[in-house]
C-alpha cells in the first residue's frame, strides 16, 4: 500500500502550452525561463494531451475544487466571475459542496491555499469555508502585483477572511507564504500527518509587471487603469514573470529536500487555461476564451520520486477534474454520495507511464456558443454555429476541417455531445461573459 504523500498543486494563471522549456519554449534573453519546472518534468511525468476544464479561469477552478464538471454549479456559468459581483450570494463555490481540500482534510490532511481563489467573495464564500485551514492571496481574478488592487481598483489581499495590506511583489509573497507553510508543516509530515498545499499563482496574468516594475504599478494606479494594462507588456516582461514564479517553485523544492520530504511529496503543475497576449502556444491556435486547442490544452507535470519514474511522457488525455480525482484517491478520500466525481483518477498512469485509458472529454462556452468534445484523436468543435471536425494526431493546429469529409463521424460526436449536455444544467440566461479577451486565431465564418 502506498504511503500517502504530501500534495502540492501548483496552478499558473494564463500560461501558454509552450511557454515552458520542457514544452518546447524558447529561452529568454536572460536564459532558461523555467529551469525548476523543467527539472520537475525531467524527474517525473509530462503529459502532452492534457487540458483545463475551461478556457477561462474561475470555471476551471470550480472543476479543480470539486472533481466535477463545473457546469453543475451556477457560479461557474460566469465566464469568469467578475470583481463587480463582490458580495453576490449566488456567484461562488457553495460552502456546503464537498471539495478537494475539505475531503482531504477529512482524510487527515492539513490544508492551505496560497494564491488566487476566484470562487466568490466573503461573507458568502471563501477558501476557509471550503476546506482550507489557511489562506493568503487575492479573492478575485487578477490584481496588480504591487498595489494588490483588483479590476475595480479595490484592495484585494487577504489573510484568511480578513483583508490586510502587505508590501511586496505578489508572486514573491505567494512563494514566501508557501515556503513558510512547508517549514511549519514539515514536522507533522515527518510524523505521518501529510499536508495539501494549493499554490495558485497569479503569474503570468496581466498587468505585465516584473519584480522591477513597481514604478509601472504606480503609473497604472495614477491613470486609474487598475489592472487593465492594454497598452503595455512585451515578451521579455512576460518571460520574466514566469521566471519569477519558477524561482519560487525552486525555493519550495529546496525546502522539501531540506526537510527530507521530497520523495514523498506529489507535486502537480498546470495552468488554469490557455495562454493570452504574449503566450507561446505552438503548435496550437487560439487562446484564453477559446475552445480551440490553444485555449484549453495546458501543461501537466507530475513529480513524485517514490512512485513516478523520471523522464516519462504520455499522450493520455485528461482535464483538471481528473487530477483532482487523482489527488483525492491518493489521499485516501472518498466521494460524498450526493456529489460523485466526474473526474477519472490517473493514479495508474503515475505508476506506469504506458497506461492509457482515454475517456471522452466535453466543454461548452456561452461565449460565441462554443462547444467541444475530445474522443481519442478526434475533436468536435462548434464556434458561432459552425461545426468542425479535426484529427488532432494529424492536425494539432485545427486547420483541416473534416466535417464534410467524414459526416457520419461528425454526427456521432454531435450526438454524444448533445447527450452529455442534456445531463448538465442549462446555461442560465443571466450568465455573463467577460469582453476583456481577444479571440486570436479562432475559426471564423
Amino acid at each position: 500500500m502506498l504511503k500517502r504523500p504530501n500534495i502540492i498543486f501548483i496552478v499558473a494563471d494564463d500560461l501558454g502550452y509552450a511557454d515552458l522549456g520542457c514544452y518546447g519554449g524558447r529561452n529568454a534573453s536572460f536564459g532558461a525561463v523555467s529551469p525548476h519546472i523543467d527539472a520537475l518534468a525531467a524527474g517525473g511525468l509530462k503529459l502532452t494531451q492534457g487540458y483545463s476544464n475551461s478556457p477561462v479561469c474561475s470555471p476551471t477552478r470550480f472543476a479543480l475544487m470539486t472533481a466535477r464538471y463545473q457546469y453543475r454549479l451556477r457560479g461557474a456559468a460566469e465566464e469568469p466571475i467578475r470583481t463587480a459581483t463582490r458580495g453576490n450570494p449566488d456567484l461562488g463555490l457553495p460552502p456546503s459542496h464537498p471539495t478537494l481540500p475539505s475531503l482531504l482534510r477529512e482524510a487527515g490532511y492539513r490544508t492551505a491555499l496560497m494564491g488566487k481563489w476566484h470562487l466568490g467573495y466573503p461573507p458568502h464564500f471563501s477558501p476557509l469555508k471550503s476546506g482550507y485551514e489557511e489562506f493568503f492571496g487575492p479573492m478575485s481574478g487578477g490584481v496588480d502585483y504591487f498595489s494588490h488592487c483588483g479590476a475595480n481598483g479595490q484592495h484585494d489581499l487577504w489573510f484568511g477572511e480578513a483583508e490586510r495590506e502587505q508590501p511586496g511583489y505578489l508572486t514573491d509573497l505567494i512563494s514566501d507564504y508557501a515556503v513558510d507553510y512547508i517549514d511549519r508543516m514539515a514536522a507533522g509530515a515527518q510524523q505521518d500527518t501529510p499536508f495539501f498545499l494549493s499554490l495558485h499563482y497569479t503569474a503570468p496574468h496581466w498587468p505585465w509587471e516584473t519584480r522591477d516594475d513597481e514604478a509601472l504599478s504606480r503609473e497604472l494606479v495614477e491613470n486609474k487603469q487598475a489592472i487593465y494594462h492594454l497598452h503595455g507588456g512585451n515578451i521579455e516582461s512576460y518571460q520574466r514573470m514566469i521566471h519569477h514564479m519558477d524561482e519560487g517553485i525552486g525555493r519550495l523544492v529546496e525546502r522539501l529536500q531540506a526537510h527530507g520530504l521530497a520523495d514523498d511529496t506529489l507535486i502537480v503543475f498546470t495552468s488554469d487555461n490557455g495562454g493570452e497576449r504574449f503566450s507561446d502556444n505552438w503548435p496550437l491556435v487560439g487562446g484564453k476564451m477559446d475552445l480551440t486547442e490553444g485555449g484549453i490544452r495546458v501543461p501537466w507535470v507530475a513529480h513524485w520520486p517514490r512512485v513516478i519514474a523520471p523522464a516519462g511522457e504520455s499522450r493520455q488525455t485528461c482535464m483538471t477534474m481528473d487530477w483532482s480525482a487523482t489527488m483525492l484517491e491518493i489521499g485516501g478520500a472518498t466521494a460524498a454520495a450526493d456529489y460523485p466525481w466526474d473526474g477519472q483518477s490517473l493514479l495508474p498512469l503515475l505508476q506506469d507511464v504506458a497506461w492509457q485509458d482515454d475517456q471522452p472529454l466535453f466543454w461548452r462556452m456561452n461565449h460565441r456558443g462554443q462547444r467541444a468534445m475530445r474522443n481519442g484523436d478526434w475533436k468536435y468543435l462548434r464556434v458561432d454555429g459552425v461545426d468542425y471536425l479535426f484529427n488532432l494526431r494529424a492536425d494539432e493546429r485545427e486547420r483541416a476541417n473534416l466535417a464534410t469529409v467524414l459526416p457520419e463521424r461528425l454526427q456521432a460526436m454531435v450526438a454524444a455531445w448533445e447527450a452529455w449536455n442534456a445531463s448538465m444544467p442549462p446555461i442560465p440566461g443571466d450568465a455573463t461573459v467577460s469582453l476583456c479577451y481577444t479571440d486570436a486565431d479562432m475559426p471564423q465564418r
Side-chain angles (χ1 to χ4, degrees), residues 126 143 153 160 189 274 307:
S126 82
V143 297
V307 172

Side-chain angles (χ1 to χ4, degrees), residues 139-421:
M139 293 281 187
S140 65
V143 297
D144 184 273
Y145 286 85
F146 294 94
S147 71
H148 312 140
C149 292
N152 61 355
Q154 186 173 353
H155 182 262
D156 183 24
L157 189 62
W158 300 71
F159 294 75
E161 293 185 347
E163 276 193 90
R164 195 168 84 206
E165 293 195 16
Q166 177 164 350
Y169 182 67
L170 184 57
T171 301
D172 291 339
L173 291 176
I174 291 171
S175 296
D176 291 344
Y177 278 89
V179 168
D180 174 71
Y181 183 76
I182 288 173
D183 286 341
R184 289 188 287 110
M185 294 297 111
Q190 292 161 354
Q191 299 299 317
D192 203 30
T193 301
F195 61 82
F196 170 65
L197 171 61
S198 291
L199 179 52
H200 297 179
Y201 286 99
T202 61
H205 190 290
W206 36 270
W208 318 109
E209 296 169 352
T210 74
R211 191 181 289 146
D212 301 320
D213 287 330
E214 189 168 4
L216 173 59
S217 170
R218 290 194 295 269
E219 174 192 321
L220 293 177
V221 172
E222 290 167 3
N223 293 336
K224 295 183 171 54
Q225 292 192 42
I227 64 173
Y228 297 112
H229 197 187
L230 300 180
H231 70 289
N234 53 59
I235 292 174
E236 173 82 5
S237 294
Y238 178 79
Q239 290 179 315
R240 285 194 180 277
M241 292 169 73
I242 297 171
H243 189 65
H244 296 332
M245 173 179 64
D246 184 81
E247 289 174 321
I249 293 169
R251 291 173 52 207
L252 182 120
V253 172
E254 186 277 327
R255 296 313 297 156
L256 291 172
Q257 293 169 340
H259 291 297
L261 299 174
D263 285 351
D264 291 310
T265 298
L266 168 63
I267 301 175
V268 176
F269 177 90
T270 191
S271 179
D272 60 351
N273 46 252
E276 233 223 27
R277 179 187 293 189
F278 298 109
S279 303
D280 184 354
N281 283 332
W282 182 262
L284 314 177
V285 298
K288 185 174 182 176
M289 296 296 289
D290 307 347
L291 289 182
T292 48
E293 292 293 285
I296 49 177
R297 184 103 68 89
V298 293
W300 282 103
V301 171
H303 185 271
W304 182 9
R306 188 76 69 191
V307 172
I308 301 174
E313 184 171 312
S314 172
R315 288 185 58 87
Q316 168 68 33
T317 56
C318 63
M319 61 201 316
T320 311
M321 64 186 185
D322 295 322
W323 285 94
S324 301
T326 303
M327 295 176 201
L328 286 163
E329 181 184 4
I330 289 170
T334 55
D338 294 339
Y339 301 92
W341 302 330
D342 295 315
Q344 173 191 212
S345 173
L346 301 172
L347 178 57
L349 175 65
L350 305 189
Q351 297 169 317
D352 179 6
V353 71
W355 180 86
Q356 190 155 3
D357 182 18
D358 292 330
Q359 303 291 320
L361 309 178
F362 300 92
W363 296 264
R364 73 182 187 197
M365 285 285 284
N366 198 11
H367 178 54
R368 299 183 68 181
Q370 296 178 78
R371 57 169 70 174
M373 174 186 176
R374 172 84 191 254
N375 191 8
D377 293 333
W378 293 93
K379 180 177 177 182
Y380 161 53
L381 173 70
R382 176 177 291 181
V383 183
D384 295 331
V386 179
D387 285 342
Y388 301 84
L389 178 66
F390 301 111
N391 184 320
L392 294 180
R393 186 178 284 270
D395 176 29
E396 284 194 308
R397 286 186 64 77
E398 298 172 284
R399 302 290 84 178
N401 184 9
L402 303 176
T404 59
V405 179
L406 299 170
E408 292 183 359
R409 181 179 290 276
L410 172 66
Q411 290 309 310
M413 295 188 77
V414 169
W417 188 94
E418 296 281 4
W420 165 81
N421 188 53

